[in-house]
Every structure is written in C-alpha cells, then in structure tokens.
Amino acid sequence: YGNFIDGLRLYVRGGTGGMGYPRLGGEGGRGGDVWFVAREKTTLKNIRDRYPQKRFVAGAGANSSVKALKGEKGKDCEVHVPLGISVLCDDGKQIGELNAAGERFLVARGGLGGSLATNFMPHKGQRRIVRLDLKLIADVALVGFPNAGKSSLLSKISYAQPEIANYAFTTIQPELGKIMYTDYKQISVADLPGLIEGAHANKGMGHKFLKHVERTKQLLLVVDISGFQLSIKTRFRTAFETVLLLTKELELYKEELVTKPTLLAINKMDLPCAKDNLNELMKQLQNPQDFFHLLQEEMIPTNKLEFKDIIPISTYSGEGIEELKACIRKSIDEEAELENEEYREKKLLLLQTSG
C-alpha cells in the first residue's frame, strides 16, 4: 500500500493531578489533557515518523505549596492530525471525528488535583488506546477496475502526476489532484486503488479503497469501452458488465454510496471498434433490465446507478477531456446550489416556528 497510511494506533494518557496541601487546605493542579487538533498538510505518516513510540502523555499538575495553594494545571498535549480523521476506541467504536481545519477533540482528560474531597491525594489521568482512521475528503472520487485509465485521466484533468503503466494495479495508494478552472475555481479529485470483484468482502484492497469513497461528494466511474479482464484466470467483462459490477461492489459495501451524484466516463475511445461498442453500451444502459437475463444473478445490483452525464473520452488523444471537466464543474455547482437551497429552507422554517 506504498508510503500512504490511513490507519494508526496510539497510546494517550492525561496528566496526573498535583498533590494537595493538607495543613492549609491547598489544592493540587489538574493534570493536562490530550487533544487531537485537525491541521491541513498533516499526514498519519508524519505522526508515525515523528513519534515512533506513538505515545502521547500530558503534563502533571503542580503540587500545592505554601507559595501557591492552588497548583497550576499540567501542560496539555496537542497532537496534529489530518482532516477526515475518525477517532475509534480499540474495540472499533467511534468516539469522534475531525473534518475541518482547527477542529479539536478531547481524547484523554487529565486527573483531578488533590483536595479536601480526595483526601488531598491526586487522581491519575484518563488513559486509553485509540485508533485514527483516515477517510480522504475530496469533491470527486474516480471509481473503476484496474487499468481503466483512472491515473491517466487524473494526470490529464489536474496537476497530479500519478504512476501510469499498462498493467493492473499501477495505483497502490490514493492520489489527490486538483482541477483548476479559468475563474480560479478548484475541484479536488481522488484517484483510488482499482477495485476488483469481491472488494466489498475485502478482497484485494477492498475496504482500504472503499472507505475513501464515503466522504467524497460525487463519484466518477471510469470504464474501459473494450471491457476488462484482470487475468487469464478470471472472466472477461464487457463495459456494460463492468458498470453493473462496480455498482454492485459499492452497494454491497454501503448502500448510501449508490445514492451519491455520479458521472460516467467511457475511456479508450481511440481504440478500433470503440464507436460500435459505445452504441451497444448506450443501448444497454438505457434499458439495463432487458439485458439482465444474460448475466449471473449475483452480478445484478438491487439499485440502479443514475448517471447525471455519460461522457465518451480518450486520455490518449484528449477527446472529451474538456467536456468532462465542464460536466464535473456543472455537477458540483448544481449540488452546492441544492445544499444552499435546503439550508435556506431550514432557516426559514426555523424562523417561522420560533415566530
């Protein structure tokens, strides 16, 4: 999975409180807290490299003394984490998440200082083992089987420079690129490792890939017009079967993924017979149920993916690339307008009910 890390296990402990002063009723300072703070340009690899022990302990509270009856609070420990982090207990239960820069999450509270209530003995800080789980936040996720041309497409539409070669699984770690428009609008695109059949059951890079799709706003399916075959041991799949299988994998992993706004890019239109294959595919996509009898039952998705646009492209010749960029922009803008409309309606409803 390359140098990219999307999960990390850490030990965190709040600081111990300070000793009380029984003779004068002095109170020890509280132990420091451990906080996770979301920061841009931070990665889980940075944390692992900088803190190989993966232990984070806050400072102890100051003891009460004649000079200072109320001891000072211990120093807080702040851990900078990337955006899109879920914080999980060691048993897998989610206890928090950080999605925007500057968001903070208290992960281990410091212990109370010694006082009359505690017989002047301090308490130890909270200690726990937590897991950080990263899900990439991007506007658009490129979804497709290996060798469909996702990396080539990302290099054409953005400034990213992913590895490109003519064999399956060139992409072994997620790549992020940004589409820059003439009016300075930027749209982030994530190219994720290729799915294979059975990805929902964690075959190949199954869950490592699919969990990153969850936080993207839209999907862009990339399909090879000539079909797909992973190896000589696996079955050849036509472009139509590929679309259905991708839908099925997304649906089986998490049904909500199929409800995301989706575009379909039909790649490799420079190949011979591509036009005939495209006509055939468009016919099949218009009435997919008419062709279900040709397929195995387990390949047929329960829900049909509704494509906002279907764009034939060629990353080799550049055909359709500008049209695709325009479609991505239009789709993102439309969804943003819908969200704003919903927000305005909620505000209005709130004002009316409070009135």
Side-chain angles (χ1 to χ4, degrees):
Y1 207 34
N3 288 323
F4 182 80
I5 298 171
D6 56 8
L8 207 56
R9 198 161 171 261
L10 309 175
Y11 171 82
V12 291
R13 193 181 84 211
T16 306
M19 292 288 287
Y21 201 113
R23 206 156 52 105
L24 299 173
E27 194 176 309
R30 242 192 76 205
D33 304 317
V34 182
W35 293 85
F36 288 157
V37 184
R39 280 280 165 90
E40 286 175 352
K41 296 180 182 171
T42 302
T43 66
L44 292 182
K45 187 177 184 296
N46 293 154
I47 299 172
R48 191 193 64 178
D49 293 350
R50 199 169 167 195
Y51 307 100
Q53 299 291 318
K54 295 180 281 190
R55 286 173 63 87
F56 297 92
V57 181
N63 294 337
S64 172
S65 66
V66 175
K67 289 181 182 174
L69 287 176
K70 172 76 176 167
E72 277 193 26
K73 183 179 185 287
K75 192 180 177 191
D76 285 351
C77 171
E78 286 194 355
V79 186
H80 294 160
V81 299
L83 277 56
I85 280 286
S86 296
V87 185
L88 314 171
C89 285
D90 214 23
D91 61 2
K93 186 185 171 195
Q94 185 172 321
I95 52 174
E97 59 179 19
L98 298 149
N99 293 321
E103 279 187 2
R104 296 165 65 84
F105 176 70
L106 177 61
V107 68
R109 196 179 287 280
L112 293 171
S115 64
L116 186 63
T118 65
N119 205 19
F120 299 100
M121 295 300 289
H123 286 186
K124 286 184 176 178
Q126 187 181 11
R127 65 177 72 195
R128 62 197 339 182
I129 288 171
V130 293
R131 284 192 290 138
L132 298 182
D133 189 39
L134 175 69
K135 291 174 188 170
L136 290 178
I137 298 175
D139 295 315
V140 181
L142 300 182
V143 179
F145 284 137
N147 219 24
K150 300 187 302 301
S151 298
S152 302
L153 179 58
L154 186 69
S155 68
K156 287 278 184 190
I157 61 177
S158 77
Y159 291 104
Q161 293 179 318
E163 188 185 338
I164 298 161
N166 190 27
Y167 56 85
F169 295 119
T170 318
T171 307
I172 54 167
Q173 61 186 52
E175 288 275 355
L176 272 174
K178 274 195 164 68
I179 308 176
M180 308 281 282
Y181 292 91
T182 48
D183 61 351
Y184 304 107
K185 165 93 173 175
Q186 294 183 17
I187 290 174
S188 56
V189 182
D191 169 27
L192 302 155
L195 276 171
I196 62 168
E197 287 180 52
H200 70 277
N202 213 10
K203 279 189 189 171
M205 293 184 178
H207 289 182
K208 276 188 168 168
F209 164 85
L210 285 162
K211 72 172 189 177
H212 292 298
V213 182
E214 287 181 51
R215 289 200 184 174
T216 52
K217 293 177 187 170
Q218 305 203 1
L219 306 180
L220 172 57
L221 262 61
V222 185
V223 170
D224 185 336
I225 189 61
S226 56
F228 169 69
Q229 187 172 17
L230 185 63
S231 72
I232 50 168
K233 293 178 183 174
T234 58
R235 288 183 60 166
F236 171 78
R237 301 297 189 191
T238 64
F240 176 61
E241 287 175 327
T242 305
V243 172
L244 291 183
L245 279 167
L246 287 170
T247 308
K248 187 74 176 171
E249 290 302 332
L250 292 169
E251 180 184 84
L252 287 171
Y253 177 72
K254 201 165 263 192
E255 217 162 314
E256 304 92 86
L257 296 183
V258 188
T259 63
K260 284 181 184 281
T262 308
L263 299 171
L264 175 61
I266 313 291
N267 194 18
K268 306 193 183 179
M269 287 303 295
D270 53 282
L271 295 175
C273 303
K275 292 274 190 290
D276 295 339
N277 289 345
L278 180 66
N279 293 336
E280 179 69 18
L281 176 62
M282 295 303 277
K283 235 189 313 180
Q284 290 169 323
L285 288 174
Q286 275 171 351
N287 297 298
Q289 59 280 355
D290 294 352
F291 300 89
F292 283 171
H293 66 278
L294 304 170
L295 310 169
Q296 296 153 291
E297 205 172 314
E298 60 269 19
M299 282 175 61
I300 302 165
T302 314
N303 303 294
K304 182 184 161 191
L305 254 182
E306 297 290 340
F307 297 114
K308 293 185 81 172
D309 272 302
I310 298 174
I311 311 102
I313 63 164
S314 166
T315 53
Y316 178 74
S317 68
E319 177 195 336
I321 298 295
E322 288 306 313
E323 188 193 339
L324 177 62
K325 282 166 74 171
C327 284
I328 292 171
R329 170 74 187 264
K330 181 169 163 258
S331 181
I332 289 282
D333 287 349
E334 282 173 0
E335 291 304 314
E337 188 53 44
L338 274 174
E339 279 177 25
N340 289 339
E341 190 58 45
E342 280 175 26
Y343 177 75
R344 284 196 292 267
E345 282 175 10
K346 275 182 189 171
K347 276 279 195 196
L348 196 63
L349 196 66
L350 213 64
L351 285 167
Q352 286 169 347
T353 50
S354 61

